[in-house]
Amino acid sequence: VVHEAYDPRTLENDLAFLFLGSPSVSFYLQFPSVEVEQQLIDGQEKVKIAGWSNTYDFGVKLHLMETEAPLVSHLLCSA
């Protein structure tokens, strides 16, 4: 489902959801407790992120890109 306000000219609201017919994994994901999350942040733990995007330098990528980034707190992320 493509975002109803997607603008292909500006790429504003470049977001879509993919609904699967069945679960893609056979286990349930659990989020860490606040204490464990803080330990990961304090330890400068890195997480993998992936997606397709307009990089501004190289245009739209048609293959999946992946990188690592430091885990940051919700407070810092929403600032």
Side-chain angles (χ1 to χ4, degrees):
V1 177
V2 177
H3 193 286
E4 63 185 28
Y6 171 62
D7 184 340
R9 189 176 50 79
T10 64
L11 299 180
E12 187 173 352
N13 298 308
D14 185 11
L15 175 71
F17 287 102
L18 176 65
F19 294 95
L20 303 177
S22 61
S24 62
V25 293
S26 60
F27 59 90
Y28 292 98
L29 299 176
Q30 289 184 299
F31 293 98
S33 66
V34 173
E35 294 80 15
V36 170
E37 181 180 341
Q38 191 59 52
Q39 289 173 354
L40 294 171
I41 292 168
D42 292 344
Q44 299 178 350
E45 188 71 27
K46 291 196 176 197
V47 295
K48 286 190 177 191
I49 53 176
W52 293 268
S53 179
N54 183 338
T55 62
Y56 296 106
D57 295 332
F58 305 108
V60 176
K61 298 291 186 177
L62 298 178
H63 61 277
L64 184 63
M65 296 183 290
E66 179 182 307
T67 191
E68 289 188 354
L71 187 62
V72 297
S73 69
H74 292 287
L75 183 62
L76 179 61
C77 189
S78 62

